[in-house]
Amino acid sequence: MAGELPFESPLVKLREKIQELEQFGNEKGIDFSEEIARLEERYKQLEQEIYSNISPSQKMHLARHHQRPTSLDLISLIFEDFIELHGDRLFGDDLAVVGGLAKLSGVPVTVLGQQRGKDTKDNIARFFGSAHPEGFRKALRLMHQADKFGRPIITFIDTKGAYPGITAEERGQSEAIARNLLEMARLRVPVICVVIGEGGSGGALALGVGNRVLMLENAIYSAISPNGAASILWKDASKADQAAEAMRITAQDLLEMEVIEEIVPEPKGGAHRDYETTASAIKDGLIRHLEELTVMNPDELVEDRYRKFRKIGEFAEGTPKENPVQVEESIIDSSLVGND
């Protein structure tokens, strides 16, 4: 297994034992088929146990896996006739954001995505998928173009966050993100967003205001990265695993909270194990949701998008008996209010 994570080590060791037994049998001419069959059965059981009980912190590491498919990987497998377009017409071309024209099963669409690098040199050129203002403005330019010509918009989200350096601040990082949020809310064409890896902070949301938001099974999506949360809460970024466990950042959590509409299944072991199967599952979801959205008129699409985000954060208060500490605090608060 290439690029295995620590929690996968029992599988790696068992697979090595199977391979060693096969090699020894071939060299010595000994039949170990029964022993190998038993080990293969044990491997399947162990694989099921591990991958059916992945913790949020383990999902975080899967979402960040260096071999996980990038936006360009998925675009090449899902769409036909992709033509990449460059530049924001204001400053330059940010390689952390890719976008252009394509066809989804024959339907013309505009595709956008945050792009990580494949190696160190590529990652440096693409700022590890963290966009500068010109990246967000390039995305907005292409979205306005799609809106003008009535093309649905599909975005792939995969970033730890917007680029945090001084160069980005000098060129108006916060304004660029805020502008995208405002303008995406007003788009009069269908917008479908897919979180394919890590969706972090405003950098993710700047491409995430859609009628439908889908997430790969092992992706994560949060208002701040687990590392950033750990730095704030415990003054120690190395406690990112602990933060991930507490933040409810997995696809399952976000579906329950109605932040997303659908979880896209991944191959066993993660999307990096099988790009084609992952891309096929995403494509099926895109086609299905696009069919639902294309029957809406422009005003209905805007209203649908508004309702989706307006309902996020709704909650029902529990009864005081559920938490004695809250009961005591509420009594104290009430007495203070009464004294005023």
Side-chain angles (χ1 to χ4, degrees), residues 136-195:
F136 298 122
R137 289 170 181 145
K138 172 169 69 172
L140 184 58
R141 178 177 75 83
L142 297 182
M143 287 189 278
H144 280 158
Q145 182 191 80
D147 200 36
K148 178 179 178 180
F149 292 102
R151 288 192 301 266
I153 298 168
I154 294 166
T155 73
F156 292 114
I157 297 169
D158 187 16
T159 183
K160 291 183 179 180
Y163 186 73
I166 189 171
T167 54
E169 294 301 324
E170 288 174 342
R171 299 201 286 270
Q173 185 72 289
S174 58
E175 189 279 336
I177 293 172
R179 177 68 58 182
N180 275 31
L181 302 183
L182 174 65
E183 297 296 336
M184 287 190 78
R186 294 172 173 175
L187 292 170
R188 298 172 67 80
V189 293
V191 183
I192 303 176
C193 309
V194 187
V195 185

Tab-separated table of all heavy atoms in Angstrom, residues 136-195:
chain	number	residue	atom	x	y	z
A	136	PHE	N	-9.268	34.440	-6.143
A	136	PHE	CA	-10.707	34.576	-5.912
A	136	PHE	C	-11.350	35.470	-6.970
A	136	PHE	O	-12.478	35.240	-7.393
A	136	PHE	CB	-10.961	35.141	-4.516
A	136	PHE	CG	-10.459	34.243	-3.409
A	136	PHE	CD1	-9.524	34.703	-2.486
A	136	PHE	CD2	-10.906	32.939	-3.305
A	136	PHE	CE1	-9.057	33.883	-1.477
A	136	PHE	CE2	-10.445	32.101	-2.295
A	136	PHE	CZ	-9.515	32.579	-1.386
A	137	ARG	N	-10.622	36.498	-7.411
A	137	ARG	CA	-11.167	37.394	-8.440
A	137	ARG	C	-11.215	36.706	-9.800
A	137	ARG	O	-12.105	36.978	-10.610
A	137	ARG	CB	-10.341	38.681	-8.485
A	137	ARG	CG	-10.585	39.559	-7.251
A	137	ARG	CD	-9.615	40.716	-7.139
A	137	ARG	NE	-9.918	41.475	-5.914
A	137	ARG	CZ	-9.008	42.071	-5.154
A	137	ARG	NH1	-7.714	41.998	-5.472
A	137	ARG	NH2	-9.356	42.729	-4.059
A	138	LYS	N	-10.267	35.812	-10.064
A	138	LYS	CA	-10.343	35.015	-11.292
A	138	LYS	C	-11.587	34.135	-11.258
A	138	LYS	O	-12.326	34.048	-12.254
A	138	LYS	CB	-9.094	34.140	-11.453
A	138	LYS	CG	-9.194	33.151	-12.615
A	138	LYS	CD	-7.867	32.474	-12.926
A	138	LYS	CE	-7.411	31.525	-11.870
A	138	LYS	NZ	-6.212	30.750	-12.310
A	139	ALA	N	-11.822	33.501	-10.114
A	139	ALA	CA	-13.015	32.658	-9.977
A	139	ALA	C	-14.280	33.483	-10.181
A	139	ALA	O	-15.213	33.046	-10.869
A	139	ALA	CB	-13.028	31.994	-8.597
A	140	LEU	N	-14.320	34.679	-9.595
A	140	LEU	CA	-15.500	35.526	-9.723
A	140	LEU	C	-15.697	35.979	-11.167
A	140	LEU	O	-16.833	36.044	-11.655
A	140	LEU	CB	-15.384	36.739	-8.798
A	140	LEU	CG	-16.596	37.668	-8.750
A	140	LEU	CD1	-17.846	36.905	-8.326
A	140	LEU	CD2	-16.339	38.837	-7.804
A	141	ARG	N	-14.603	36.280	-11.869
A	141	ARG	CA	-14.709	36.668	-13.277
A	141	ARG	C	-15.358	35.555	-14.095
A	141	ARG	O	-16.247	35.803	-14.925
A	141	ARG	CB	-13.314	36.984	-13.838
A	141	ARG	CG	-13.311	37.356	-15.321
A	141	ARG	CD	-11.922	37.725	-15.782
A	141	ARG	NE	-11.049	36.584	-15.960
A	141	ARG	CZ	-11.020	35.820	-17.049
A	141	ARG	NH1	-11.857	36.057	-18.054
A	141	ARG	NH2	-10.179	34.820	-17.139
A	142	LEU	N	-14.938	34.315	-13.845
A	142	LEU	CA	-15.496	33.185	-14.587
A	142	LEU	C	-16.943	32.900	-14.180
A	142	LEU	O	-17.755	32.474	-15.001
A	142	LEU	CB	-14.623	31.948	-14.379
A	142	LEU	CG	-13.184	32.054	-14.908
A	142	LEU	CD1	-12.433	30.753	-14.682
A	142	LEU	CD2	-13.170	32.438	-16.376
A	143	MET	N	-17.269	33.157	-12.924
A	143	MET	CA	-18.657	32.977	-12.494
A	143	MET	C	-19.572	34.017	-13.129
A	143	MET	O	-20.695	33.711	-13.538
A	143	MET	CB	-18.743	33.019	-10.961
A	143	MET	CG	-18.197	31.771	-10.300
A	143	MET	SD	-18.495	31.659	-8.516
A	143	MET	CE	-17.160	32.663	-7.880
A	144	HIS	N	-19.103	35.255	-13.234
A	144	HIS	CA	-19.890	36.282	-13.914
A	144	HIS	C	-20.080	35.937	-15.385
A	144	HIS	O	-21.160	36.146	-15.958
A	144	HIS	CB	-19.193	37.640	-13.791
A	144	HIS	CG	-19.427	38.301	-12.466
A	144	HIS	ND1	-18.583	39.273	-11.958
A	144	HIS	CD2	-20.401	38.156	-11.535
A	144	HIS	CE1	-19.042	39.687	-10.781
A	144	HIS	NE2	-20.140	39.016	-10.503
A	145	GLN	N	-19.045	35.385	-15.991
A	145	GLN	CA	-19.148	34.963	-17.381
A	145	GLN	C	-20.192	33.855	-17.524
A	145	GLN	O	-21.019	33.874	-18.442
A	145	GLN	CB	-17.786	34.459	-17.873
A	145	GLN	CG	-17.749	34.038	-19.330
A	145	GLN	CD	-16.465	33.301	-19.653
A	145	GLN	OE1	-16.333	32.117	-19.366
A	145	GLN	NE2	-15.509	34.004	-20.245
A	146	ALA	N	-20.168	32.896	-16.605
A	146	ALA	CA	-21.148	31.805	-16.638
A	146	ALA	C	-22.565	32.337	-16.447
A	146	ALA	O	-23.514	31.893	-17.107
A	146	ALA	CB	-20.817	30.786	-15.552
A	147	ASP	N	-22.709	33.296	-15.519
A	147	ASP	CA	-24.020	33.897	-15.270
A	147	ASP	C	-24.540	34.610	-16.520
A	147	ASP	O	-25.730	34.521	-16.859
A	147	ASP	CB	-23.893	34.889	-14.113
A	147	ASP	CG	-25.218	35.207	-13.456
A	147	ASP	OD1	-26.060	34.295	-13.346
A	147	ASP	OD2	-25.412	36.361	-13.056
A	148	LYS	N	-23.665	35.280	-17.227
A	148	LYS	CA	-24.050	36.018	-18.437
A	148	LYS	C	-24.558	35.081	-19.522
A	148	LYS	O	-25.546	35.378	-20.208
A	148	LYS	CB	-22.845	36.817	-18.952
A	148	LYS	CG	-23.117	37.574	-20.240
A	148	LYS	CD	-21.881	38.365	-20.674
A	148	LYS	CE	-22.135	39.101	-21.990
A	148	LYS	NZ	-20.934	39.883	-22.409
A	149	PHE	N	-23.909	33.931	-19.671
A	149	PHE	CA	-24.268	33.013	-20.747
A	149	PHE	C	-25.130	31.839	-20.284
A	149	PHE	O	-25.388	30.912	-21.058
A	149	PHE	CB	-22.999	32.491	-21.424
A	149	PHE	CG	-22.246	33.553	-22.178
A	149	PHE	CD1	-21.113	34.132	-21.641
A	149	PHE	CD2	-22.697	33.992	-23.412
A	149	PHE	CE1	-20.428	35.127	-22.321
A	149	PHE	CE2	-22.021	34.983	-24.101
A	149	PHE	CZ	-20.876	35.555	-23.561
A	150	GLY	N	-25.575	31.866	-19.026
A	150	GLY	CA	-26.514	30.851	-18.547
A	150	GLY	C	-25.917	29.474	-18.347
A	150	GLY	O	-26.628	28.472	-18.469
A	151	ARG	N	-24.630	29.404	-18.020
A	151	ARG	CA	-23.993	28.107	-17.792
A	151	ARG	C	-23.998	27.767	-16.305
A	151	ARG	O	-23.627	28.609	-15.473
A	151	ARG	CB	-22.535	28.116	-18.278
A	151	ARG	CG	-22.369	28.129	-19.783
A	151	ARG	CD	-20.911	27.840	-20.150
A	151	ARG	NE	-20.008	28.809	-19.570
A	151	ARG	CZ	-19.582	29.904	-20.187
A	151	ARG	NH1	-20.009	30.178	-21.409
A	151	ARG	NH2	-18.738	30.728	-19.592
A	152	PRO	N	-24.386	26.556	-15.920
A	152	PRO	CA	-24.266	26.131	-14.519
A	152	PRO	C	-22.806	26.193	-14.064
A	152	PRO	O	-21.879	26.052	-14.871
A	152	PRO	CB	-24.772	24.682	-14.543
A	152	PRO	CG	-25.627	24.595	-15.763
A	152	PRO	CD	-25.004	25.514	-16.771
A	153	ILE	N	-22.626	26.401	-12.764
A	153	ILE	CA	-21.287	26.523	-12.185
A	153	ILE	C	-21.046	25.367	-11.222
A	153	ILE	O	-21.887	25.065	-10.373
A	153	ILE	CB	-21.139	27.857	-11.439
A	153	ILE	CG1	-21.303	29.035	-12.416
A	153	ILE	CG2	-19.794	27.945	-10.722
A	153	ILE	CD1	-21.460	30.375	-11.728
A	154	ILE	N	-19.881	24.741	-11.358
A	154	ILE	CA	-19.488	23.656	-10.462
A	154	ILE	C	-18.133	24.006	-9.875
A	154	ILE	O	-17.199	24.352	-10.606
A	154	ILE	CB	-19.417	22.317	-11.210
A	154	ILE	CG1	-20.827	21.919	-11.681
A	154	ILE	CG2	-18.827	21.229	-10.311
A	154	ILE	CD1	-20.857	20.823	-12.685
A	155	THR	N	-18.026	23.967	-8.550
A	155	THR	CA	-16.761	24.302	-7.891
A	155	THR	C	-16.258	23.116	-7.070
A	155	THR	O	-17.048	22.369	-6.490
A	155	THR	CB	-16.908	25.524	-6.964
A	155	THR	OG1	-17.646	25.163	-5.787
A	155	THR	CG2	-17.605	26.675	-7.677
A	156	PHE	N	-14.931	22.961	-7.053
A	156	PHE	CA	-14.280	21.953	-6.226
A	156	PHE	C	-13.490	22.668	-5.138
A	156	PHE	O	-12.624	23.503	-5.427
A	156	PHE	CB	-13.360	21.067	-7.062
A	156	PHE	CG	-14.086	20.180	-8.029
A	156	PHE	CD1	-13.956	20.359	-9.395
A	156	PHE	CD2	-14.924	19.173	-7.565
A	156	PHE	CE1	-14.627	19.544	-10.291
A	156	PHE	CE2	-15.602	18.361	-8.451
A	156	PHE	CZ	-15.456	18.544	-9.809
A	157	ILE	N	-13.779	22.331	-3.887
A	157	ILE	CA	-13.174	22.989	-2.732
A	157	ILE	C	-12.097	22.085	-2.137
A	157	ILE	O	-12.371	20.930	-1.794
A	157	ILE	CB	-14.243	23.326	-1.681
A	157	ILE	CG1	-15.253	24.327	-2.259
A	157	ILE	CG2	-13.610	23.863	-0.408
A	157	ILE	CD1	-16.479	24.511	-1.404
A	158	ASP	N	-10.884	22.618	-2.028
A	158	ASP	CA	-9.781	21.832	-1.484
A	158	ASP	C	-8.668	22.780	-1.042
A	158	ASP	O	-7.697	23.003	-1.760
A	158	ASP	CB	-9.263	20.850	-2.536
A	158	ASP	CG	-8.230	19.881	-1.972
A	158	ASP	OD1	-8.140	19.768	-0.735
A	158	ASP	OD2	-7.525	19.227	-2.770
A	159	THR	N	-8.796	23.363	0.124
A	159	THR	CA	-7.809	24.320	0.624
A	159	THR	C	-7.821	24.369	2.143
A	159	THR	O	-8.872	24.183	2.768
A	159	THR	CB	-8.092	25.732	0.059
A	159	THR	OG1	-7.081	26.628	0.511
A	159	THR	CG2	-9.446	26.254	0.501
A	160	LYS	N	-6.680	24.622	2.723
A	160	LYS	CA	-6.619	24.826	4.174
A	160	LYS	C	-7.088	26.220	4.549
A	160	LYS	O	-7.355	26.501	5.705
A	160	LYS	CB	-5.183	24.606	4.678
A	160	LYS	CG	-4.726	23.160	4.595
A	160	LYS	CD	-3.341	22.983	5.177
A	160	LYS	CE	-2.919	21.512	5.107
A	160	LYS	NZ	-1.567	21.297	5.677
A	161	GLY	N	-7.166	27.096	3.554
A	161	GLY	CA	-7.604	28.462	3.795
A	161	GLY	C	-6.967	29.399	2.788
A	161	GLY	O	-6.100	29.010	2.008
A	162	ALA	N	-7.410	30.630	2.781
A	162	ALA	CA	-6.815	31.634	1.905
A	162	ALA	C	-5.376	31.892	2.328
A	162	ALA	O	-4.999	31.707	3.490
A	162	ALA	CB	-7.624	32.922	1.969
A	163	TYR	N	-4.553	32.346	1.382
A	163	TYR	CA	-3.153	32.606	1.675
A	163	TYR	C	-3.040	33.694	2.755
A	163	TYR	O	-3.614	34.779	2.617
A	163	TYR	CB	-2.415	33.046	0.407
A	163	TYR	CG	-0.920	33.181	0.612
A	163	TYR	CD1	-0.115	32.051	0.736
A	163	TYR	CD2	-0.321	34.429	0.699
A	163	TYR	CE1	1.243	32.165	0.932
A	163	TYR	CE2	1.044	34.549	0.896
A	163	TYR	CZ	1.823	33.419	1.015
A	163	TYR	OH	3.176	33.535	1.215
A	164	PRO	N	-2.295	33.445	3.832
A	164	PRO	CA	-2.283	34.378	4.972
A	164	PRO	C	-1.146	35.396	4.957
A	164	PRO	O	-0.968	36.121	5.922
A	164	PRO	CB	-2.118	33.423	6.156
A	164	PRO	CG	-1.254	32.322	5.612
A	164	PRO	CD	-1.640	32.165	4.160
A	165	GLY	N	-0.358	35.469	3.877
A	165	GLY	CA	0.818	36.334	3.875
A	165	GLY	C	0.506	37.796	3.620
A	165	GLY	O	-0.606	38.180	3.232
A	166	ILE	N	1.523	38.616	3.797
A	166	ILE	CA	1.350	40.059	3.658
A	166	ILE	C	1.014	40.456	2.220
A	166	ILE	O	0.292	41.431	1.989
A	166	ILE	CB	2.619	40.803	4.158
A	166	ILE	CG1	2.354	42.312	4.227
A	166	ILE	CG2	3.823	40.493	3.268
A	166	ILE	CD1	3.462	43.087	4.911
A	167	THR	N	1.533	39.713	1.237
A	167	THR	CA	1.226	40.050	-0.156
A	167	THR	C	-0.264	39.942	-0.433
A	167	THR	O	-0.836	40.760	-1.168
A	167	THR	CB	1.995	39.131	-1.115
A	167	THR	OG1	1.722	37.748	-0.777
A	167	THR	CG2	3.490	39.383	-1.029
A	168	ALA	N	-0.904	38.939	0.156
A	168	ALA	CA	-2.352	38.787	-0.022
A	168	ALA	C	-3.112	39.917	0.656
A	168	ALA	O	-4.091	40.443	0.111
A	168	ALA	CB	-2.810	37.439	0.525
A	169	GLU	N	-2.669	40.302	1.842
A	169	GLU	CA	-3.333	41.392	2.556
A	169	GLU	C	-3.175	42.715	1.808
A	169	GLU	O	-4.105	43.526	1.739
A	169	GLU	CB	-2.753	41.511	3.974
A	169	GLU	CG	-3.035	40.321	4.877
A	169	GLU	CD	-4.515	40.059	5.068
A	169	GLU	OE1	-5.299	41.033	5.132
A	169	GLU	OE2	-4.900	38.882	5.135
A	170	GLU	N	-2.017	42.918	1.221
A	170	GLU	CA	-1.776	44.155	0.475
A	170	GLU	C	-2.697	44.277	-0.733
A	170	GLU	O	-3.069	45.383	-1.145
A	170	GLU	CB	-0.325	44.209	0.011
A	170	GLU	CG	0.677	44.467	1.128
A	170	GLU	CD	2.115	44.366	0.659
A	170	GLU	OE1	2.349	43.766	-0.421
A	170	GLU	OE2	3.003	44.875	1.358
A	171	ARG	N	-3.084	43.130	-1.285
A	171	ARG	CA	-3.909	43.153	-2.498
A	171	ARG	C	-5.402	42.971	-2.189
A	171	ARG	O	-6.201	42.799	-3.111
A	171	ARG	CB	-3.418	42.089	-3.483
A	171	ARG	CG	-1.976	42.345	-3.921
A	171	ARG	CD	-1.633	41.654	-5.210
A	171	ARG	NE	-1.447	40.229	-5.114
A	171	ARG	CZ	-0.268	39.630	-4.858
A	171	ARG	NH1	0.816	40.374	-4.635
A	171	ARG	NH2	-0.176	38.320	-4.811
A	172	GLY	N	-5.765	42.987	-0.905
A	172	GLY	CA	-7.184	42.993	-0.547
A	172	GLY	C	-7.812	41.632	-0.364
A	172	GLY	O	-8.883	41.350	-0.912
A	173	GLN	N	-7.177	40.788	0.456
A	173	GLN	CA	-7.665	39.422	0.638
A	173	GLN	C	-9.087	39.367	1.193
A	173	GLN	O	-9.950	38.683	0.660
A	173	GLN	CB	-6.716	38.658	1.581
A	173	GLN	CG	-7.028	37.184	1.762
A	173	GLN	CD	-6.697	36.359	0.538
A	173	GLN	OE1	-7.393	36.461	-0.475
A	173	GLN	NE2	-5.658	35.555	0.622
A	174	SER	N	-9.336	40.088	2.273
A	174	SER	CA	-10.660	40.008	2.914
A	174	SER	C	-11.755	40.544	1.997
A	174	SER	O	-12.863	39.988	1.945
A	174	SER	CB	-10.651	40.773	4.243
A	174	SER	OG	-10.300	42.126	4.045
A	175	GLU	N	-11.451	41.611	1.255
A	175	GLU	CA	-12.450	42.162	0.337
A	175	GLU	C	-12.766	41.177	-0.778
A	175	GLU	O	-13.927	41.020	-1.168
A	175	GLU	CB	-11.947	43.484	-0.259
A	175	GLU	CG	-12.997	44.256	-1.066
A	175	GLU	CD	-13.170	43.743	-2.484
A	175	GLU	OE1	-12.234	43.132	-3.034
A	175	GLU	OE2	-14.262	43.955	-3.058
A	176	ALA	N	-11.733	40.496	-1.274
A	176	ALA	CA	-11.938	39.542	-2.371
A	176	ALA	C	-12.833	38.391	-1.922
A	176	ALA	O	-13.737	37.961	-2.657
A	176	ALA	CB	-10.590	39.016	-2.863
A	177	ILE	N	-12.607	37.885	-0.713
A	177	ILE	CA	-13.436	36.793	-0.201
A	177	ILE	C	-14.870	37.280	0.026
A	177	ILE	O	-15.836	36.625	-0.379
A	177	ILE	CB	-12.838	36.237	1.109
A	177	ILE	CG1	-11.499	35.549	0.825
A	177	ILE	CG2	-13.807	35.255	1.780
A	177	ILE	CD1	-10.748	35.133	2.078
A	178	ALA	N	-15.007	38.437	0.668
A	178	ALA	CA	-16.343	38.980	0.933
A	178	ALA	C	-17.096	39.241	-0.370
A	178	ALA	O	-18.307	38.991	-0.466
A	178	ALA	CB	-16.227	40.268	1.742
A	179	ARG	N	-16.390	39.739	-1.382
A	179	ARG	CA	-17.023	40.003	-2.673
A	179	ARG	C	-17.548	38.714	-3.295
A	179	ARG	O	-18.652	38.692	-3.841
A	179	ARG	CB	-16.016	40.682	-3.609
A	179	ARG	CG	-16.526	40.950	-5.025
A	179	ARG	CD	-17.611	41.991	-5.043
A	179	ARG	NE	-17.155	43.251	-4.472
A	179	ARG	CZ	-17.937	44.312	-4.345
A	179	ARG	NH1	-19.203	44.272	-4.720
A	179	ARG	NH2	-17.462	45.431	-3.813
A	180	ASN	N	-16.776	37.647	-3.197
A	180	ASN	CA	-17.234	36.368	-3.747
A	180	ASN	C	-18.490	35.871	-3.030
A	180	ASN	O	-19.418	35.356	-3.655
A	180	ASN	CB	-16.124	35.322	-3.636
A	180	ASN	CG	-15.157	35.378	-4.793
A	180	ASN	OD1	-14.920	36.443	-5.366
A	180	ASN	ND2	-14.582	34.249	-5.161
A	181	LEU	N	-18.519	36.004	-1.708
A	181	LEU	CA	-19.699	35.569	-0.957
A	181	LEU	C	-20.941	36.326	-1.430
A	181	LEU	O	-22.008	35.733	-1.647
A	181	LEU	CB	-19.494	35.795	0.542
A	181	LEU	CG	-18.289	35.122	1.209
A	181	LEU	CD1	-18.295	35.404	2.700
A	181	LEU	CD2	-18.284	33.629	0.955
A	182	LEU	N	-20.797	37.634	-1.578
A	182	LEU	CA	-21.925	38.462	-1.999
A	182	LEU	C	-22.366	38.107	-3.415
A	182	LEU	O	-23.557	37.895	-3.672
A	182	LEU	CB	-21.524	39.938	-1.920
A	182	LEU	CG	-22.542	40.956	-2.469
A	182	LEU	CD1	-23.814	40.937	-1.631
A	182	LEU	CD2	-21.930	42.360	-2.486
A	183	GLU	N	-21.408	38.039	-4.333
A	183	GLU	CA	-21.759	37.823	-5.733
A	183	GLU	C	-22.261	36.411	-5.995
A	183	GLU	O	-23.157	36.203	-6.817
A	183	GLU	CB	-20.548	38.128	-6.621
A	183	GLU	CG	-20.078	39.581	-6.567
A	183	GLU	CD	-21.109	40.554	-7.106
A	183	GLU	OE1	-21.958	40.141	-7.920
A	183	GLU	OE2	-21.086	41.739	-6.697
A	184	MET	N	-21.709	35.419	-5.300
A	184	MET	CA	-22.199	34.053	-5.488
A	184	MET	C	-23.641	33.918	-5.017
A	184	MET	O	-24.430	33.161	-5.597
A	184	MET	CB	-21.313	33.044	-4.744
A	184	MET	CG	-19.963	32.811	-5.386
A	184	MET	SD	-19.080	31.409	-4.654
A	184	MET	CE	-19.920	30.025	-5.431
A	185	ALA	N	-23.997	34.644	-3.963
A	185	ALA	CA	-25.376	34.597	-3.474
A	185	ALA	C	-26.355	35.132	-4.510
A	185	ALA	O	-27.528	34.747	-4.515
A	185	ALA	CB	-25.496	35.390	-2.174
A	186	ARG	N	-25.885	35.986	-5.414
A	186	ARG	CA	-26.760	36.623	-6.396
A	186	ARG	C	-26.798	35.907	-7.742
A	186	ARG	O	-27.566	36.289	-8.621
A	186	ARG	CB	-26.282	38.059	-6.629
A	186	ARG	CG	-26.412	38.990	-5.434
A	186	ARG	CD	-25.728	40.317	-5.744
A	186	ARG	NE	-25.966	41.311	-4.711
A	186	ARG	CZ	-25.397	42.506	-4.695
A	186	ARG	NH1	-24.546	42.847	-5.656
A	186	ARG	NH2	-25.669	43.370	-3.725
A	187	LEU	N	-25.966	34.912	-7.955
A	187	LEU	CA	-25.890	34.249	-9.258
A	187	LEU	C	-27.234	33.658	-9.650
A	187	LEU	O	-27.928	33.043	-8.826
A	187	LEU	CB	-24.819	33.162	-9.232
A	187	LEU	CG	-23.373	33.649	-9.106
A	187	LEU	CD1	-22.434	32.483	-8.837
A	187	LEU	CD2	-22.945	34.408	-10.365
A	188	ARG	N	-27.582	33.803	-10.915
A	188	ARG	CA	-28.892	33.367	-11.404
A	188	ARG	C	-28.806	32.084	-12.225
A	188	ARG	O	-29.626	31.820	-13.102
A	188	ARG	CB	-29.527	34.507	-12.193
A	188	ARG	CG	-29.775	35.742	-11.325
A	188	ARG	CD	-30.228	36.956	-12.111
A	188	ARG	NE	-31.555	36.766	-12.701
A	188	ARG	CZ	-32.711	36.893	-12.042
A	188	ARG	NH1	-32.690	37.181	-10.727
A	188	ARG	NH2	-33.869	36.732	-12.649
A	189	VAL	N	-27.761	31.312	-11.956
A	189	VAL	CA	-27.600	29.999	-12.576
A	189	VAL	C	-27.376	28.971	-11.462
A	189	VAL	O	-27.010	29.342	-10.339
A	189	VAL	CB	-26.403	29.988	-13.557
A	189	VAL	CG1	-26.679	30.887	-14.755
A	189	VAL	CG2	-25.114	30.388	-12.852
A	190	PRO	N	-27.575	27.688	-11.748
A	190	PRO	CA	-27.322	26.665	-10.720
A	190	PRO	C	-25.853	26.650	-10.299
A	190	PRO	O	-24.954	26.770	-11.140
A	190	PRO	CB	-27.703	25.356	-11.428
A	190	PRO	CG	-28.621	25.760	-12.535
A	190	PRO	CD	-28.139	27.100	-12.987
A	191	VAL	N	-25.628	26.521	-9.001
A	191	VAL	CA	-24.265	26.426	-8.469
A	191	VAL	C	-24.181	25.186	-7.587
A	191	VAL	O	-24.935	25.053	-6.612
A	191	VAL	CB	-23.879	27.672	-7.646
A	191	VAL	CG1	-22.429	27.560	-7.171
A	191	VAL	CG2	-24.069	28.947	-8.457
A	192	ILE	N	-23.262	24.289	-7.925
A	192	ILE	CA	-23.041	23.078	-7.139
A	192	ILE	C	-21.595	23.068	-6.676
A	192	ILE	O	-20.672	23.222	-7.481
A	192	ILE	CB	-23.335	21.802	-7.942
A	192	ILE	CG1	-24.765	21.819	-8.482
A	192	ILE	CG2	-23.111	20.560	-7.079
A	192	ILE	CD1	-25.105	20.640	-9.365
A	193	CYS	N	-21.375	22.901	-5.382
A	193	CYS	CA	-20.035	22.893	-4.800
A	193	CYS	C	-19.724	21.500	-4.260
A	193	CYS	O	-20.601	20.848	-3.688
A	193	CYS	CB	-19.931	23.909	-3.665
A	193	CYS	SG	-20.520	25.569	-4.119
A	194	VAL	N	-18.488	21.070	-4.434
A	194	VAL	CA	-18.070	19.754	-3.959
A	194	VAL	C	-16.800	19.911	-3.130
A	194	VAL	O	-15.783	20.393	-3.644
A	194	VAL	CB	-17.807	18.777	-5.120
A	194	VAL	CG1	-17.551	17.370	-4.575
A	194	VAL	CG2	-18.958	18.764	-6.115
A	195	VAL	N	-16.851	19.520	-1.864
A	195	VAL	CA	-15.660	19.523	-1.009
A	195	VAL	C	-14.941	18.202	-1.248
A	195	VAL	O	-15.452	17.136	-0.902
A	195	VAL	CB	-16.021	19.673	0.476
A	195	VAL	CG1	-14.749	19.783	1.315
A	195	VAL	CG2	-16.907	20.890	0.700
